[in-house]
Amino acid sequence: KNGKKWNAHIYRGMKPSSLDDDDLSSAHHTKWCGHDCVIFGNEGFDDQVVEHHENTNATNRTRAIQDGEQEVVAEEQKNVCSHWRRDESKRVDTLPTMDELKSWEFDVLLYSENNLYRMVETMLEYFNLYHAFNIDPNVMKEFIQKVIGSHLMLDYHNCYHAVGAMQSTFAFLVLTDVRKFLQDREVFALLIGIFTHDVYHTGHNNDYHVKVKSDLAKKYKNESVMENHSIAKTIEMWRCSEINMDILSGCSDDDKRYINKYFSEVILYTDPSNHGSLVENMTKVVTDRINNGIIAFDSSKEEDRILLGGMIAHASDISATAHVHFEVAKDWTQRVTSEFRIQANLERNAGLVVTSYMDGLESEVKVAKMQIDFCRFMVLPLIKVLVLILPKAAVLQEGLLQNIEGYKNIVATGGASSSLGALHINNS
């Protein structure tokens, strides 16, 4: 480090325009809607758009249903920003090419559900994982189809999100240098982990389960409820006695233990409550090494490789916010907003404190403001730290900043129809 400027080799491959003049040593903690966050410099505070960065307990509110007000049914939640969602009837019944799968521009929502399992097979086959871990292709096919079928028919937390997040992890693996840091069994565990991270997701977040004292919250002692549930249900599939779905049956005992451990760890890192510690820990790893004049990441430490896998899984889980096509990012935003509105309504009707960032999402402007906050406080710091280790992932930072500007434009125009051109991407 020289003053406030990082050594040039750390940013090789990045465009100067994508960099801020932040110093990671200025990292500090804050809260966004109750989630611990680490931000750098003054990001997130440069204008008046941010509305929800205070502690959740101070901002959450329960809105009484006024006399005569009709309860909002689940289907009506889709009406807000409905034109952001593209026509699903136009999905194509073909497979993407390998070049399309290996691109940051990939859009899983363009394809019919019938082709999702084959996409997963293709991504696993690319790394020769079937041979490396003695996997029976028929067993893997049964497992993939079971996972896809085990996602509920939700707007956001569905099988498309599972495969889309897996493709983002696949892009990290083929378009950046991350593979030189990870072992083959870690690549396998990471891909399976991100594919299964939302199996049987209910469409409600962990906080909701804790507040209503659900059976799942009790089962997992209020800790990472949805993530622990996905881990347990996936392992249950491997141990199924009726259909052989044990994709680890051909592995050595040592590989089985390690893959199980790594797979579980990366899924737990997709829990937003782990976001702050994840970013903080990786920032410390990177900063300590750069301050000592050495390369940003050391692959010899198992705990650091688990941390890196967790960073990639977490980033892939929320990568739609940084998609290089703003229309794709908006589509996913509309989907998650519909789930948020359903949860907010359930909380309100139950007399519970309504989750602040899910409350009041009744217009394009309010949805856009919520998304700006989320991008600044949760996504941008995460991606910035990842880009220090994986400079070729800088396109995600550029896409995210582009989309923030897109949402700002929606706010500025009061929700008038707007669109942005896609970033020019070089996937080589």
Side-chain angles (χ1 to χ4, degrees), residues 108-353:
V108 70
L109 293 173
L110 294 180
Y111 299 90
S112 70
E113 185 175 330
N114 294 332
N115 292 297
L116 295 182
Y117 89 88
R118 184 63 188 124
M119 294 181 202
V120 175
E121 285 184 326
T122 300
M123 288 185 277
L124 293 171
E125 290 166 352
Y126 181 84
F127 298 111
N128 201 28
L129 295 175
Y130 287 73
H131 174 75
F133 298 101
N134 194 27
I135 301 170
D136 183 334
N138 292 322
V139 172
M140 179 60 80
K141 182 176 181 179
E142 290 283 357
F143 172 72
I144 293 170
Q145 292 179 327
K146 177 65 173 178
V147 171
I148 289 174
S150 297
H151 285 81
L152 305 184
M153 296 182 66
L154 301 170
D155 287 310
Y156 182 87
H157 290 99
N158 54 35
C159 58
Y160 278 92
H161 170 61
V163 179
M166 183 182 183
Q167 187 278 330
S168 293
T169 294
F170 181 73
F172 272 109
L173 290 167
V174 298
L175 298 178
T176 76
D177 295 327
V178 69
R179 282 202 70 203
K180 74 181 183 182
F181 298 132
L182 300 181
Q183 300 173 359
D184 284 348
R185 59 186 181 175
E186 291 166 342
V187 170
F188 182 35
L190 177 57
L191 286 168
I192 295 299
I194 193 62
F195 175 48
T196 62
H197 78 283
D198 278 334
V199 162
Y200 290 102
H201 198 290
T202 64
H204 314 117
N205 68 6
N206 292 334
D207 186 52
Y208 176 81
H209 283 277
V210 172
K211 285 192 289 191
V212 301
K213 298 180 173 60
S214 72
D215 290 341
L216 290 176
K218 294 173 184 176
K219 181 177 182 179
Y220 300 112
K221 298 179 173 58
N222 296 339
E223 293 292 331
S224 300
V225 179
M226 286 288 86
E227 292 75 24
N228 273 311
H229 189 50
S230 294
I231 292 168
K233 297 301 285 187
T234 301
I235 293 174
E236 187 179 297
M237 292 179 202
W238 294 342
R239 297 174 178 171
C240 177
S241 58
E242 298 176 2
I243 303 174
N244 185 3
M245 294 182 286
D246 187 1
I247 61 175
L248 302 183
S249 61
C251 298
S252 68
D253 289 342
D254 181 61
D255 280 345
K256 282 183 184 179
R257 283 190 295 269
Y258 191 80
I259 290 170
N260 239 313
K261 173 185 176 181
Y262 199 94
F263 147 85
S264 299
E265 292 280 358
V266 298
I267 290 181
L268 289 174
Y269 273 127
T270 65
D271 180 355
S273 70
N274 292 324
H275 172 86
S277 61
L278 177 62
V279 176
E280 179 182 32
N281 291 339
M282 187 56 86
T283 299
K284 186 178 186 305
V285 168
V286 172
T287 302
D288 287 349
R289 293 182 63 80
I290 293 178
N291 285 344
N292 287 309
I294 52 182
I295 193 168
F297 188 79
D298 178 11
S299 61
S300 67
K301 295 182 179 180
E302 178 184 311
E303 62 268 28
D304 287 355
R305 297 197 308 273
I306 292 174
L307 196 63
L308 180 58
M311 289 281 285
I312 291 171
H314 185 31
S316 297
D317 186 21
I318 57 179
S319 62
T321 58
H323 199 282
V324 297
H325 295 283
F326 187 46
E327 297 305 310
V328 177
K330 286 198 302 179
D331 193 333
W332 284 109
T333 294
Q334 197 282 334
R335 292 168 181 275
V336 78
T337 297
S338 69
E339 289 188 17
F340 287 170
R341 283 166 55 81
I342 291 170
Q343 178 172 323
N345 194 58
L346 290 171
E347 291 172 338
R348 186 177 301 114
N349 289 347
L352 299 170
V353 175

